[in-house]
Amino acid sequence: MAIIQEQFGDNYGSQETSLEATKYLNESNTANYEYVKSNYNNLGITSYNLKESDNAIRFYNLAIKFSPSPDEKKTFINNKGNAYRQKKDYKNALQMYASILKDSPKSKKLLAMVITNQARTKWLQNPAYDPIQEFNKGLDIRIKEHDMYGQVSSHSHLADTYQEKDPQKALFHAKKMYELSREIKNPNDEVEALQKIILLESPERSKFFFKIYQKRNDSIDAARKKAKNQFALIRYETEKNKAENLSLQKGIAQKEYQITKQNILIISISLGALAFIISAFFWYKKRKQTLLLESDNKLKEQQLKVSKKIHDVVANGIYQVMTKIENQEDFDKEKILDELEFVYEKSRDISYEKAVSEDKPEFSKRISTLIASFNNENVKTYLAGNDENIWKTLKEFTREEIYQVMRELLVNMKKHSHATHVAFKFERKNNNIQIQYTDNGIGISEGITYKNGLTNTDSRIEAIHGEIIFDTETEKGLKIYISFPAS
């Protein structure tokens, strides 16, 4: 399941399924090694696809550890070299490829792949280096071995190399890549080849290929969305069986509870009368003191409520407008003024305690708009699973609290974390909604004193009976896990 998800482009879902699979694999049993190394290799591939180079290297090392086949180990070492190249550690990448070529692999396909990867890495390390001869050598081997997927890769590299020095040759290789991609029915490579052709062709021909590119890209996007839910029925049946077992256990417990409850009720009636008389006496004695204390608490609660509203509406609202101005080179002045006027009106409403009713868009769209407003050339934001069905049973109060929590996390990221990648992932399991926030910033050190925003975040999650966990043990960046009831 995890491998199929990766092939359809669902890398986050594939990682989740692979990590679930590790629970069933015994690393002490050699009979499990075939599955263990395959699972770790898949985790390495998905991490590489998500630009998580260090994680990819770690998983490839585990795949190498559990692989008994020499050529298979060399394949994983090649993958590890690609991960080093991704993080621009060209020295270590070249060492990986050299270690494979030192003891030439039996597989000609693997040999061609390593020769090609080594040449490409040398070219990336030194743009003056000419990799053409090695690329052609790899291509010749792949043609003899009828390695269609490998030929697609070779033509891709040759098209990139010739792009500046000989555009006509680059166009030839881009078109060969396109033809082969269609022949083997690989839509991802087909789209990549079309991108190269569009850049290299004449303006009129580019329009023709651009129309094909649009159509293919839309169909791939639709297929990926469909693939993300392809295992939903299997998971549903599994969870249904678990729920039925729990329901049976609950029925037995309820019968035992009813018997116990009847016994307790008889004793409680006897003690209740005596307790009532005693309680009434003490209640009267403390009544004045309680009323005074309640009045004091209400005043403090109102002060806290107003302070919280000012932080939510005014501070975060203005900061979000500032972020939009910062991220947009050509912004609509009138639209920005309207947003500032909206914040001003909301601040007046706070002072008069006026309840505001708004025709708000769908909650999923509000979340998408919020996260997109923090996206710029320095910070890339991503979200997964933001379907309106996830939020449909939430009360308005819970929706507003979750919206403010997400805005506080984004504001905190913008102010303090120095992150360049930020991701939100949403899931609904049983009757709980789970949110995973991830960034690659400086994280939160142990013992740090939270700012007002993060302090409010804790209190908001508590108010909706949820749970928030700050993962400070991660090697880099920050991970936050939030879960709360869906109804």
Side-chain angles (χ1 to χ4, degrees):
M1 286 168 64
I3 290 169
I4 292 169
Q5 285 175 295
E6 185 278 325
Q7 289 172 346
F8 275 95
D10 183 12
N11 290 292
Y12 283 113
S14 178
Q15 282 189 341
E16 184 180 4
T17 307
S18 264
L19 291 171
E20 182 70 18
T22 59
K23 300 175 185 178
Y24 303 97
L25 300 174
N26 183 0
E27 295 184 1
S28 301
N29 184 353
T30 55
N32 282 190
Y33 281 13
E34 180 69 19
Y35 312 107
V36 173
K37 56 90 179 173
S38 178
N39 196 42
Y40 280 131
N41 184 50
N42 185 67
L43 283 165
I45 291 169
T46 53
S47 297
Y48 176 84
N49 292 342
L50 293 169
K51 312 297 183 187
E52 297 172 355
S53 310
D54 291 330
N55 280 339
I57 292 166
R58 178 164 61 89
F59 287 126
Y60 287 139
N61 281 334
L62 288 167
I64 293 165
K65 176 183 175 182
F66 289 99
S67 176
S69 165
D71 263 21
E72 197 168 50
K73 281 187 177 180
K74 289 173 183 176
T75 299
F76 298 150
I77 292 170
N78 172 77
N79 293 349
K80 185 178 169 183
N82 292 344
Y84 276 120
R85 182 179 65 206
Q86 187 182 67
K87 63 182 292 188
K88 294 182 171 56
D89 186 350
Y90 301 122
K91 181 180 177 182
N92 273 317
L94 291 172
Q95 285 179 355
M96 296 296 106
Y97 305 134
S99 70
I100 300 170
L101 296 174
K102 186 178 180 182
D103 181 17
S104 186
K106 293 179 182 179
S107 168
K108 296 297 182 184
K109 289 182 179 180
L110 177 58
L111 177 63
M113 181 165 58
V114 177
I115 290 171
T116 302
N117 282 330
Q118 184 186 58
R120 183 164 179 255
T121 305
K122 288 180 179 178
W123 180 52
L124 290 171
Q125 183 184 43
N126 177 16
Y129 180 80
D130 186 359
I132 299 295
Q133 185 177 354
E134 290 164 279
F135 283 162
N136 282 322
K137 182 179 179 181
L139 178 59
D140 290 340
I141 295 172
R142 285 165 165 170
I143 292 171
K144 290 176 183 176
E145 294 294 314
H146 304 289
D147 180 6
M148 302 287 280
Y149 286 92
Q151 290 176 51
V152 169
S153 172
S154 290
H155 284 298
S156 174
H157 297 324
L158 284 163
D160 291 340
T161 309
Y162 278 122
Q163 185 174 351
E164 297 296 331
K165 57 177 73 174
D166 194 337
Q168 284 304 312
K169 285 186 178 180
L171 181 60
F172 167 79
H173 288 292
K175 287 184 175 180
K176 287 294 292 182
M177 179 185 178
Y178 177 60
E179 291 170 10
L180 290 166
S181 300
R182 294 191 65 190
E183 189 173 343
I184 62 177
K185 295 181 172 59
N186 189 324
N188 292 319
D189 286 336
E190 188 179 335
V191 166
E192 184 183 339
L194 285 167
Q195 289 175 326
K196 297 179 191 296
I197 292 170
I198 291 166
L199 291 174
L200 294 164
E201 265 287 10
S202 63
E204 283 301 317
R205 292 286 293 168
S206 290
K207 291 179 182 178
F208 169 75
F209 283 106
F210 183 72
K211 290 179 181 178
I212 301 173
Y213 165 80
Q214 278 188 315
K215 186 176 179 181
R216 295 299 291 139
N217 199 44
D218 289 345
S219 65
I220 290 172
D221 187 52
R224 283 178 175 168
K225 289 177 180 177
K226 184 179 178 182
K228 287 183 180 180
N229 297 316
Q230 63 185 315
F231 298 117
L233 182 59
I234 296 173
R235 290 196 174 99
Y236 168 76
E237 293 294 343
T238 304
E239 294 300 325
K240 183 181 176 183
N241 289 337
K242 288 180 181 178
E244 287 173 354
N245 288 333
L246 289 172
S247 178
L248 183 61
Q249 293 174 15
K250 182 180 177 182
I252 296 169
Q254 283 179 337
K255 288 181 181 179
E256 293 176 350
Y257 169 73
Q258 289 297 330
I259 295 169
T260 305
K261 185 178 177 181
Q262 289 174 2
N263 294 333
I264 293 172
L265 185 61
I266 295 170
I267 299 170
S268 298
I269 291 172
S270 303
L271 296 174
L274 179 62
F276 176 76
I277 297 170
I278 297 172
S279 298
F281 171 75
F282 283 104
W283 174 81
Y284 179 76
K285 187 177 180 180
K286 292 185 177 181
R287 183 170 178 274
K288 291 183 179 180
Q289 183 181 353
T290 303
L291 290 173
L292 183 62
L293 190 61
E294 283 180 356
S295 177
D296 190 35
N297 286 339
K298 283 183 180 178
L299 180 60
K300 290 180 179 178
E301 183 180 347
Q302 184 64 23
Q303 289 174 338
L304 180 61
K305 183 179 177 182
V306 172
S307 174
K308 197 173 180 182
K309 281 186 177 179
I310 291 171
H311 178 270
D312 293 347
V313 176
V314 182
N316 280 346
I318 291 176
Y319 194 84
Q320 190 173 352
V321 173
M322 289 167 60
T323 301
K324 287 184 179 179
I325 295 173
E326 180 183 352
N327 296 342
Q328 300 174 11
E329 292 183 3
D330 299 317
F331 59 87
D332 188 337
K333 179 180 177 183
E334 294 299 323
K335 188 175 179 180
I336 295 297
L337 288 172
D338 287 344
E339 290 188 20
L340 287 172
E341 184 176 356
F342 175 76
V343 174
Y344 167 72
E345 291 295 333
K346 294 275 281 186
S347 66
R348 290 186 63 194
D349 293 340
I350 292 171
S351 65
Y352 293 104
E353 282 299 316
K354 177 182 176 183
V356 181
S357 63
E358 302 173 28
D359 291 326
K360 295 181 179 178
E362 288 183 343
F363 190 62
S364 60
K365 291 182 181 178
R366 287 186 67 201
I367 288 177
S368 299
T369 302
L370 171 65
I371 295 173
S373 70
F374 284 81
N375 189 78
N376 58 52
E377 62 181 3
N378 297 318
V379 180
K380 300 301 176 187
T381 59
Y382 306 91
L383 73 165
N386 182 29
D387 190 281
E388 190 60 27
N389 289 330
I390 287 181
W391 315 106
K392 62 183 180 182
T393 59
L394 286 187
K395 296 177 181 176
E396 186 58 32
F397 171 79
T398 305
R399 290 188 179 198
E400 198 57 36
E401 291 297 281
I402 288 301
Y403 182 89
Q404 296 301 338
V405 165
M406 293 177 62
R407 185 158 70 172
E408 284 162 359
L409 292 176
L410 287 165
V411 170
N412 185 71
M413 174 276 298
K414 185 73 166 59
K415 288 181 178 178
H416 307 295
S417 76
H418 308 300
T420 58
H421 289 80
V422 180
F424 282 89
K425 182 182 178 183
F426 308 93
E427 283 186 299
R428 183 170 182 146
K429 291 188 176 179
N430 297 329
N431 198 36
N432 277 302
I433 294 176
Q434 298 177 353
I435 301 175
Q436 178 180 317
Y437 168 88
T438 309
D439 72 38
N440 64 347
I442 61 175
I444 298 178
S445 303
E446 290 186 9
I448 191 169
T449 302
Y450 288 176
K451 302 293 183 183
N452 288 340
L454 291 181
T455 302
N456 282 344
T457 297
D458 274 329
S459 63
R460 290 184 193 287
I461 297 301
E462 185 178 351
I464 60 174
H465 309 293
E467 182 182 20
I468 181 167
I469 299 172
F470 291 81
D471 182 3
T472 58
E473 298 299 324
T474 187
E475 294 179 7
K476 183 179 179 182
L478 174 63
K479 286 187 178 182
I480 299 174
Y481 303 93
I482 298 171
S483 65
F484 55 92
S487 58

